Amino acid sequence: KFLEGYVRFLQRAKLLVLVGWAVVFVGLGWFGARKLMGLTHNAFDPPPGTPSALALDKMNADFKGFDINATDLVFVQAPDGSQVFDHDLLLNITQATSTYLSDRLD
């Protein structure tokens, strides 16, 4: 008897049941998101002494004043016998960077 009444109620109140489940899922998602936000972070903090930490220290020393955690840090290797500051290579780097930035900003 109870089960038959329960099934009849569910059949008559389909919209109410759907709204109820939506409220439950949204509430659980909101609660879970608030709890997890404090547990996660985005920082790159390698353990001291590891190759990653040594590389990060070297980049901080070599690129003073730059945001090392930026997503657009570009490394360039000069061809054999030249330096990055050679006029032709510097011109190529500048043009490539300008093209890259204009493509990203469009």
Side-chain angles (χ1 to χ4, degrees):
K1 286 261 186 217
F2 170 75
L3 196 54
E4 290 173 0
Y6 179 67
V7 169
R8 251 190 328 273
F9 166 75
L10 292 178
Q11 288 173 341
R12 282 183 286 154
K14 290 178 188 174
L15 185 61
L16 180 65
V17 171
L18 271 169
V19 169
W21 278 113
V23 167
V24 167
F25 285 128
V26 168
L28 286 175
W30 177 79
F31 178 76
R34 288 187 50 95
K35 282 295 196 187
L36 290 175
M37 288 302 283
L39 300 176
T40 60
H41 70 284
N42 216 5
F44 178 66
D45 298 321
T50 62
S52 296
L54 297 174
L56 187 60
D57 292 341
K58 178 144 180 59
M59 285 180 10
N60 282 324
D62 290 349
F63 299 105
K64 290 183 177 110
F66 289 97
D67 182 11
I68 299 303
N69 293 321
T71 57
D72 294 335
L73 183 62
V74 178
F75 292 94
V76 177
Q77 181 176 357
D80 291 339
S82 66
Q83 295 182 353
V84 175
F85 298 107
D86 287 348
H87 177 71
D88 292 337
L89 185 56
L90 191 57
L91 184 61
N92 288 341
I93 292 170
T94 304
Q95 288 172 345
T97 305
S98 296
T99 302
Y100 172 76
L101 289 175
S102 66
D103 289 346
R104 282 198 71 183
L105 295 175
D106 287 343

